[in-house]
């Protein structure tokens, strides 16, 4: 039974005892310690009996009934029986330890009473007193025997309670061990989660650094594209210079008078030929005008460049021009695709290897592109006057460098792994 029900039963029993003693208290001429002396109890113990703090024994109920009757407020048999019923309920509701404590207190009280009666009997020589004392001794012995039986029952209850407490303690210990195991597992999971979070944070920082590095590379590529566009504009301006030179072997008419200027095929200068004036009969010959100064005509630089100096090698130079022009944008695309494949491959180089590969690829692209463009420009001047095909290929190759660069940047940003990029990596001995 729970402690709450025990306190309720003891409280009801104490209220009933206090109600039985209330008429005597209301008179005001009898103090409570008189009841304690009558029952041979301590005053504090009697107070606990009356307020329900402790369960009063059977003898206290009988002493209380006699005490209130002696002061003019006798209890009815029903009220006396109700007090004993409440006492039994309160005693039954007590825990085994409380029952044991109550029994020990009652035994101690009986021992004191018996010692007091024996002392009184020894001091008195009256036979009636001796007989009464003998009866009290017998009653005390019987009550002690009953209390001894009660103690055996209480001990049995205590043993059962101890066994139950032991089982509960074992169960609690098992639950505690289980909770410790669960706590250890949770701590391990928490440690793993912390390690995972640290790893993810490190990966995030590494990716942020890589993103910043790629952003720097993208800015560098944009600057290179801008520089290439400037070079392309300058090349376009050089290609579109107007041809205003005077071809050799051309005849220039003199605006002054009757002579012609003949250009020298070897020196590019004009030589004036004077015409012979016709004489009319009877007239003076006409005055011949002074010769005009000779004018030197210098061919334009482009005309000099387009002089067919090495005609048998022109097909070879045209082929080299076309290959260099088409190889320039192809080199940009291949290097970008190779670096994108190295970045996107699962078994690719480390971060240090990627940085070195990026630097090497960038230098190789710039140097290779510059070399190819120099070859294309130089061979373009050795293909003679008949070069429409190589000129178109050269111009379209310059324009093709821009989409090739844009496609390469797209591959770098998306780190797309392509077969072309892997092939170019393997071509230079880099495996992923």
């Amino acid at each position: 039974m729970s402690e709450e029900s025990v306190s309720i039963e003891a409280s009801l029993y104490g209220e009933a005892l206090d109600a039985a003693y209330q008429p005597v208290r209301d008179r005001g001429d009898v103090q409570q310690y008189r009841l304690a002396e009558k029952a041979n109890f301590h005053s504090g113990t009697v107070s606990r009996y009356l307020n329900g703090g402790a369960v009063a024994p059977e003898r206290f109920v009988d002493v209380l009934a006699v005490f209130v009757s002696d002061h003019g407020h006798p209890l009815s048999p029903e009220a006396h029986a109700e007090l004993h019923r409440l006492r039994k309920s309160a005693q039954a509701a007590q825990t085994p330890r409380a029952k044991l404590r109550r029994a020990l207190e009652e035994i101690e009280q009986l021992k004191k009473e018996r010692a007091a009666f024996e002392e009184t009997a020894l001091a008195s020589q009256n036979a009636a007193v001796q007989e009464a004392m003998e009866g009290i001794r017998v009653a005390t012995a019987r009550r002690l025997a009953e209390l001894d039986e009660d103690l055996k029952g209480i001990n049995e209850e205590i043993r059962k309670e101890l066994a139950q407490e032991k089982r509960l303690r074992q169960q609690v210990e098992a639950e505690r061990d289980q909770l410790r195991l669960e706590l250890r597992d949770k701590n391990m999971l928490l440690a793993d989660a912390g390690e995972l979070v640290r790893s993810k944070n490190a990966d995030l920082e590494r990716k942020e650094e890589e993103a910043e590095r790629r952003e720097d590379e993208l800015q560098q590529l944009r600057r290179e594209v801008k520089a290439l566009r400037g070079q392309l504009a300058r090349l376009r301006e050089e290609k579109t210079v107007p041809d205003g030179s005077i071809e050799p072997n051309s005849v220039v008419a003199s605006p002054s008078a009757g002579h012609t200027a003949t250009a020298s095929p070897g020196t590019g200068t004009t030589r004036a030929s004077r015409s012979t004036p016709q004489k009319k009969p009877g007239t003076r010959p006409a005055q011949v005008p002074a010769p005009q100064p000779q004018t030197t005509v210098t061919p334009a630089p482009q005309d000099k460049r387009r002089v067919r100096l090495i005609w048998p090698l022109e097909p070879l130079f045209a082929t080299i021009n076309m290959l260099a022009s088409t190889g320039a944008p192809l080199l940009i695309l291949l290097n970008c695709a190779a670096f994108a494949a190295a970045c996107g491959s699962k078994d690719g180089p480390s971060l240090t290897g990627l940085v070195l590969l990026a630097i090497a690829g960038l230098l190789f692209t710039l140097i290779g592109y510059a070399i190819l463009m120099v070859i294309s420009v130089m061979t373009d001047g050795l293909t003679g006057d008949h070069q429409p095909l190589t000129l178109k290929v050269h111009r379209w190759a310059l324009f093709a460098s821009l989409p090739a660069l844009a496609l390469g940047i797209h591959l770098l940003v998306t780190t797309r792994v392509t077969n072309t990029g892997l092939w170019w990596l393997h071509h230079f001995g880099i495996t992923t």
Side-chain angles (χ1 to χ4, degrees):
M1 190 172 295
S2 64
E3 292 294 334
E4 183 180 359
S5 60
V6 171
S7 61
I8 291 176
E9 297 293 339
S11 178
L12 293 176
Y13 179 42
E15 290 177 358
L17 291 175
D18 188 69
Y21 177 71
Q22 188 64 35
V24 178
R25 183 188 294 115
D26 293 340
R27 290 178 53 181
D29 55 347
V30 179
Q31 300 297 326
Q32 185 173 314
Y33 74 91
R34 298 292 184 184
L35 175 61
E37 293 177 354
K38 180 72 175 179
N40 199 15
F41 284 108
H42 192 272
S43 298
T45 304
V46 173
S47 297
R48 289 197 301 274
Y49 289 160
L50 295 180
N51 59 27
V55 178
E58 178 181 3
R59 191 176 66 83
F60 181 79
V61 176
D62 297 336
V63 171
L64 177 63
V66 174
F67 184 80
V68 296
S69 179
D70 291 343
H71 291 82
H73 298 281
L75 293 177
S76 63
E78 293 79 5
H80 196 183
E82 180 65 16
L83 288 177
H84 281 293
R85 186 190 68 77
L86 292 175
R87 174 185 59 80
K88 293 178 181 179
S89 297
Q91 290 176 350
Q94 283 183 312
T95 60
R97 288 183 174 82
K99 292 179 181 179
L100 178 61
R101 186 170 55 252
R102 178 184 55 81
L104 292 176
E105 290 176 355
E106 188 172 355
I107 289 173
E108 186 67 24
Q109 185 67 26
L110 289 174
K111 287 180 179 180
K112 291 180 180 180
E113 291 180 356
R114 187 177 67 177
F117 290 152
E118 288 178 355
E119 184 179 355
T120 303
L122 291 175
S124 176
Q125 299 297 327
N126 192 346
V129 174
Q130 293 290 337
E131 184 178 356
M133 300 303 338
E134 186 65 24
I136 292 173
R137 187 182 298 109
V138 172
T140 302
R142 184 174 63 253
R143 180 57 183 166
L144 289 174
E146 292 176 356
L147 290 174
D148 187 59
E149 292 295 329
D150 292 341
L151 288 176
K152 292 180 181 179
I154 291 171
N155 288 332
E156 185 66 25
E157 291 180 2
I158 290 175
R159 280 196 298 271
K160 291 180 180 180
E161 185 177 356
L162 291 175
Q164 184 177 2
E165 289 181 355
K166 184 178 180 180
R167 289 193 300 270
L168 290 175
R169 184 173 64 253
Q170 292 175 353
Q171 183 179 358
V172 170
E173 290 178 353
E175 292 179 356
R176 182 194 60 192
D177 296 338
Q178 183 66 25
L179 289 175
R180 286 179 177 176
L181 293 176
E182 292 180 358
L183 180 60
R184 186 185 62 186
D185 295 339
K186 297 295 184 183
N187 290 332
M188 293 177 63
L189 291 176
L190 184 60
D192 294 340
E195 185 65 25
L196 180 60
V197 169
R198 287 190 293 271
S199 176
K200 294 298 182 182
N201 289 332
D203 293 341
L204 181 60
E205 292 178 357
R206 185 166 57 253
K207 290 181 178 179
E208 288 178 352
E209 293 177 356
E210 185 176 356
E212 292 178 357
R213 179 177 56 80
R214 291 183 178 178
E215 183 66 23
D216 295 339
E217 294 177 357
L218 182 59
Q219 295 295 333
Q220 181 66 23
L221 289 175
R222 287 176 178 173
R223 289 192 292 269
E224 293 175 4
V225 168
K226 186 176 180 180
L228 291 176
R229 287 178 178 174
Q231 295 178 5
L232 182 60
R234 288 192 296 272
L235 290 174
R236 190 181 296 114
E237 291 176 358
E238 292 178 0
K239 289 293 183 180
T240 57
V241 173
D243 189 4
S245 63
I246 300 176
E247 295 292 334
N249 300 326
S250 62
V251 179
V252 181
S254 175
S256 57
H259 71 277
T260 59
T262 303
S264 176
T267 60
T269 60
T270 60
R271 184 174 61 236
S273 62
R274 181 178 300 176
S275 61
T276 304
Q278 300 293 331
K279 290 185 179 181
K280 293 183 179 181
T283 61
R284 295 175 63 183
Q287 185 178 1
V288 179
Q292 299 291 329
Q294 297 181 355
T295 304
T296 302
V297 180
T298 304
Q302 290 187 357
D303 293 334
K304 286 184 177 180
R305 184 172 55 85
R306 295 191 181 276
V307 174
R308 296 167 57 182
L309 299 177
I310 313 176
W311 163 246
L313 298 180
E314 283 184 6
L316 177 60
F317 291 151
T319 304
I320 294 175
N321 182 19
M322 294 174 62
L323 292 177
S325 300
T326 56
L330 184 61
L331 178 65
I332 295 175
L333 183 60
L334 285 177
N335 289 337
C336 293
F339 187 72
C343 292
S345 179
K346 294 182 179 179
D347 299 329
S350 62
L351 181 59
T352 305
L354 289 177
V355 173
L356 296 177
L357 181 60
I359 296 173
L362 184 59
L363 294 176
F364 179 71
T365 303
L366 295 176
I367 296 174
Y369 187 88
I371 292 174
L372 291 174
M373 293 307 300
V374 169
I375 293 173
S376 176
V377 172
M378 292 180 64
T379 54
D380 184 57
L382 299 176
T383 54
D385 295 330
H386 305 285
Q387 52 172 353
L389 179 60
T390 57
L391 183 59
K392 290 181 180 180
V393 171
H394 185 202
R395 289 179 178 178
W396 283 108
L398 290 176
F399 288 110
S401 298
L402 297 178
L405 182 59
L407 181 58
I409 293 173
H410 173 71
L411 293 177
L412 286 175
V413 173
T414 58
T415 62
R416 183 172 298 176
V417 180
T418 58
N419 293 329
T420 304
L422 293 176
W423 171 79
W424 192 245
L425 282 176
H426 295 166
H427 183 73
F428 286 96
I430 302 175
T431 58
T432 56

